[in-house]
């Protein structure tokens, strides 16, 4: 750019040199007024003895002429001086013809300073202008701001001068006076700084006082780097304010409103493309470059080659530093993310995010007792005791779910009531973290009812821990009565140490305490499935733990009842 300016100045020097010799001066005409130190010639035609050439106007404004003597000429024009001499010579000559010629006008001493080839003090011919003064000083220097020159007068007046126009147009060639100072200032380059993701970061000069579109400034710096984030450029002004710039719109889309102008002192910063870091249990951990706008977590994991552990055994967390400098950590469920079950799991990643993928630590816990598949199980992170029991096949019918015991490695026991979540499906299960080496023991439910006699499946049936167990529930659990069963004479028996040790016969509808010799007493009750007891149907009567339900087949005699009671007493000792 400076080379172009220099070529213009060379042309200007040629023009000024031409002007210095070709432009006619008022001093060469008869209307020019004489000043002290002017050099003139007085020519009397055909009378060389009366002529004088040259003669200098003295400091007193007078010259000494032959025959005439001292003649005052300062302030008079050449024509006026010639007329005065002609009039005085008429005394001696009949028709004198006199010419007065200005051989050299008094020089105007001026100062040419600043960005010129030869600054200094120069005697400028009278009537010379700023163009001639510049030519005498050798022309402007390479860094001369010719269009912003000034001529300071002796009285302090400052006049702006465009020396480029003065060389082209005579009316702009301002005449100089003695003592004038012509000052050509230096060009102050407009400098802009370009940094960041560009080909050649640095400081660049542009034309004096000019501005430049941001796209042209980027071209000066060699264009953008391959990983430049064009849409996130920024201009910092000299006053410290910042202006966001979308160079993608300015360059690729050609939108003029995005192609802002840069001024002196501006700093253009072009950041690199956003990057995120993925570490841990992925195929290719490292730094990923992302385009403007970021990328989703699933896309980032894909670029990293995917997980190298099963999603069920993976843990994913995202660390992000907020505008306040605080670090925020978000957790993501790998199974839901990769199965696309929940769109909210596929978070949008931002520049600077750190994605950590780790393998969950395997915890082995032992499950024993009343479960269908006892054994050792690897516990998943966050898995509850109830969920672990379900994975162990679930509880058996005889399990006591209100008294599940968890024994820690150090031997410390903990009792949990999981009857509601395991039987009713309630979500309100107690939170109890499992660790390596823990034992989960599901005990038997000893609160049982024994159903005997004419039923499909005689046997021992537990009383549920979440509610009452009625006579109807017990008969249903035993598969119901057989065809010849006497359901109107069902006997309910329960061991009772307070019963006297004498045999008795129980009649229908009565409640007596009877006793088999040598055995604990049995409290007996005869009920009918069609009857009522204490104001409610007998089938809805709650049974207490240890109750024996006997459904007879046919009608036993008195001695038959004794044999039945004796057998039941023996059986009860085996089951209770």
């Amino acid at each position: 750019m400076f080379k172009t300016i220099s070529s213009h100045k060379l042309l200007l020097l040629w023009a000024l040199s031409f002007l210095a010799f070709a432009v006619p001066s008022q001093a060469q005409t008869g209307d020019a007024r004489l000043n002290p130190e002017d050099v003139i010639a007085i020519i009397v035609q055909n009378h060389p003895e009366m002529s004088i050439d040259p003669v200098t106007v003295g400091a007193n404004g007078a010259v000494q002429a032959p025959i005439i003597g001292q003649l005052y000429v300062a302030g008079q024009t050449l024509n006026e001086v010639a007329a005065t001499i002609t009039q005085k010579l008429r005394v001696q000559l009949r028709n004198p013809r006199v010419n007065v010629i200005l051989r050299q006008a008094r020089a105007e001493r001026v100062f040419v300073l600043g960005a010129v080839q030869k600054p200094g003090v120069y005697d400028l011919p009278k009537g010379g202008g700023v163009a001639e003064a510049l030519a005498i000083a050798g022309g402007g220097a390479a860094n001369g701001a010719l269009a912003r020159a000034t001529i300071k007068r002796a009285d302090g007046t400052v006049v702006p001068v465009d020396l480029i126009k003065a060389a082209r147009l005579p009316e702009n060639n301002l005449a100089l006076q003695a003592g004038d100072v012509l000052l050509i200032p230096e060009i102050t380059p407009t400098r802009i700084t370009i940094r960041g993701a560009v080909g050649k970061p640095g400081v660049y000069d542009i034309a004096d006082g000019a501005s430049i579109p941001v796209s042209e400034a980027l071209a000066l710096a060699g264009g953008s780097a391959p990983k430049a984030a064009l849409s996130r450029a920024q201009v910092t002004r000299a006053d410290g304010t910042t202006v966001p710039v979308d160079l993608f719109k300015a360059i690729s889309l050609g939108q003029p409103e995005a192609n802002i102008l840069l001024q002196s002192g501006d700093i253009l910063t072009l950041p690199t493309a956003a990057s995120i870091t993925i570490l841990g249990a992925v195929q290719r951990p490292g730094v990923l470059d992302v385009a403007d706008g970021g990328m989703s977590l699933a896309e980032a994991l894909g670029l990293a080659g995917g997980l190298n552990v099963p999603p069920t055994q993976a843990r994913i967390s995202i660390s992000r530093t907020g505008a306040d400098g605080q670090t925020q950590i978000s957790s993501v469920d790998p199974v839901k993310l990769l199965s696309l079950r929940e769109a909210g799991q596929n978070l949008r990643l931002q520049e600077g995010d750190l994605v950590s993928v780790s393998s969950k630590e395997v915890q082995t816990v032992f499950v024993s007792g009343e479960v269908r598949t006892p054994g050792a199980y690897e516990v998943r992170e966050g898995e509850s005791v109830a969920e672990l029991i379900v994975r162990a096949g679930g509880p058996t019918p005889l399990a006591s779910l209100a008294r599940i015991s968890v024994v820690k490695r150090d031997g410390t026991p903990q009792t949990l009531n999981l009857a509601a979540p395991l039987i009713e499906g309630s979500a309100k299960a107690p939170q109890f973290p499992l660790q390596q080496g823990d034992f989960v023991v599901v005990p038997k439910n000893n609160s049982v009812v024994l159903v005997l006699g004419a039923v499909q499946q005689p046997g021992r049936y537990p009383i549920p821990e979440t509610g009452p167990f009625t006579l109807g529930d017990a008969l249903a659990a035993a598969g119901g009565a057989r065809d010849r069963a006497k359901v109107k004479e069902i006997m309910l028996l329960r061991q009772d140490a307070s019963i006297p040790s004498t045999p008795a016969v129980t009649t229908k509808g009565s409640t007596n305490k009877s006793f088999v010799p040598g055995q604990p007493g049995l409290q007996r009750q005869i009920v009918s499935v069609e009857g009522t007891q204490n104001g409610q149907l007998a089938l809805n009567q709650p049974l207490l733990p240890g109750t024996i339900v006997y459904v007879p087949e046919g009608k036993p005699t008195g001695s038959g009842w004794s044999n039945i009671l004796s057998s039941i007493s023996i059986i009860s000792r085996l089951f209770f």
Side-chain angles (χ1 to χ4, degrees), residues 179-319:
D180 285 351
V181 178
L182 176 61
L183 177 63
I184 294 86
E186 292 185 359
I187 293 175
T188 303
T190 299
R191 291 185 171 179
I192 58 174
T193 301
I194 305 176
R195 63 189 185 185
V198 295
K200 297 181 294 184
V203 179
Y204 292 87
D205 294 335
I206 59 177
D208 178 35
S211 56
I212 183 173
V214 67
S215 60
E216 294 183 19
L218 183 60
L220 288 177
S224 59
K227 295 183 180 180
L230 293 176
S231 64
R232 295 188 293 109
Q234 178 177 280
V235 172
T236 304
R237 301 293 190 190
D239 60 1
T241 58
T242 58
V243 180
V245 179
D246 191 333
L247 284 171
F248 179 79
K249 293 181 179 179
I251 298 174
S252 301
L253 302 182
Q255 296 182 5
E257 64 274 12
N259 200 15
I260 68 172
L261 296 177
L262 299 185
Q263 304 167 355
S264 180
D266 284 352
I267 300 174
L268 172 63
T269 303
L270 188 56
T272 55
S275 63
I276 61 173
T277 303
I278 298 184
L279 300 177
V282 292
Q283 300 294 339
R284 295 188 298 272
V287 178
L288 298 178
D289 293 324
V290 296
D292 290 346
M295 68 168 56
S296 69
L297 175 58
E299 291 172 328
L301 291 175
L303 291 174
L307 305 179
N308 58 14
V309 294
T312 55
Q313 295 299 315
R315 181 190 292 109
I316 299 177
S317 62
I318 301 171
S319 176

Side-chain angles (χ1 to χ4, degrees), residues 237-540:
R237 301 293 190 190
D239 60 1
T241 58
T242 58
V243 180
V245 179
D246 191 333
L247 284 171
F248 179 79
K249 293 181 179 179
I251 298 174
S252 301
L253 302 182
Q255 296 182 5
E257 64 274 12
N259 200 15
I260 68 172
L261 296 177
L262 299 185
Q263 304 167 355
S264 180
D266 284 352
I267 300 174
L268 172 63
T269 303
L270 188 56
T272 55
S275 63
I276 61 173
T277 303
I278 298 184
L279 300 177
V282 292
Q283 300 294 339
R284 295 188 298 272
V287 178
L288 298 178
D289 293 324
V290 296
D292 290 346
M295 68 168 56
S296 69
L297 175 58
E299 291 172 328
L301 291 175
L303 291 174
L307 305 179
N308 58 14
V309 294
T312 55
Q313 295 299 315
R315 181 190 292 109
I316 299 177
S317 62
I318 301 171
S319 176
R320 176 177 299 168
T321 302
D324 57 357
Q326 299 296 317
T327 300
Q328 303 171 348
I329 298 179
S330 303
S331 297
V332 175
D333 187 324
V335 176
K336 294 179 180 179
L337 168 68
L338 299 179
S339 63
L340 303 179
R341 291 188 203 168
E342 294 183 9
Q345 298 289 329
N346 196 15
L347 300 180
R348 200 75 184 169
L349 300 179
Q350 301 177 4
E351 181 178 7
D353 283 353
L354 172 62
V355 180
S356 298
V357 182
S358 59
S359 177
K360 298 177 181 177
E361 182 180 354
V362 177
Q363 306 280 357
T364 301
V365 174
F366 301 90
V367 183
S368 64
E370 294 299 323
V371 293
R372 298 187 186 276
T373 314
Y377 289 87
E378 291 183 356
V379 180
R380 301 167 184 146
E381 184 178 15
E383 188 173 27
S384 66
V385 177
E387 292 171 326
L388 179 60
I389 291 175
V390 171
R391 280 211 291 137
T396 68
L398 297 178
S400 174
L401 302 180
R403 297 184 297 109
I404 293 177
S405 177
V406 179
V407 182
K408 309 299 288 183
R409 285 180 298 177
D410 60 1
T412 305
Q414 176 74 36
T415 301
L416 301 177
N417 185 349
L418 300 181
L422 286 173
I423 297 176
E424 302 175 357
S426 172
K428 295 182 179 180
Q431 297 299 317
F432 190 84
L434 295 172
Q435 298 176 344
Q436 173 72 24
D438 287 351
F439 283 83
V440 176
V441 181
V442 181
K444 279 187 177 181
N445 183 356
N446 292 320
S447 297
V448 296
V449 170
L450 185 62
V451 182
L452 301 174
V455 293
Q456 300 294 337
Q457 299 174 353
R460 188 169 182 260
Y461 295 96
I463 296 177
E465 296 172 300
T466 57
F469 190 66
T470 65
L471 174 60
D473 294 330
L475 294 176
R482 293 201 296 263
D483 290 341
R484 298 181 60 189
K486 299 297 184 179
V487 295
K488 293 183 179 181
E489 297 181 2
I490 297 175
M491 181 183 293
L492 304 181
L493 304 100
R494 190 165 180 273
Q495 293 181 350
D496 189 344
S498 64
I499 296 176
S501 180
T502 55
V505 177
T506 302
T507 60
K508 182 179 178 180
S510 67
T511 301
N512 294 314
K513 295 180 179 180
S514 63
F515 158 75
V516 176
Q519 301 297 329
L522 292 175
Q523 178 180 344
R524 295 172 295 163
Q525 179 182 356
I526 303 297
V527 298
S528 171
V529 296
E530 298 176 355
T532 60
Q533 184 71 25
N534 298 327
Q536 63 179 347
L537 288 175
L539 286 176
N540 294 334

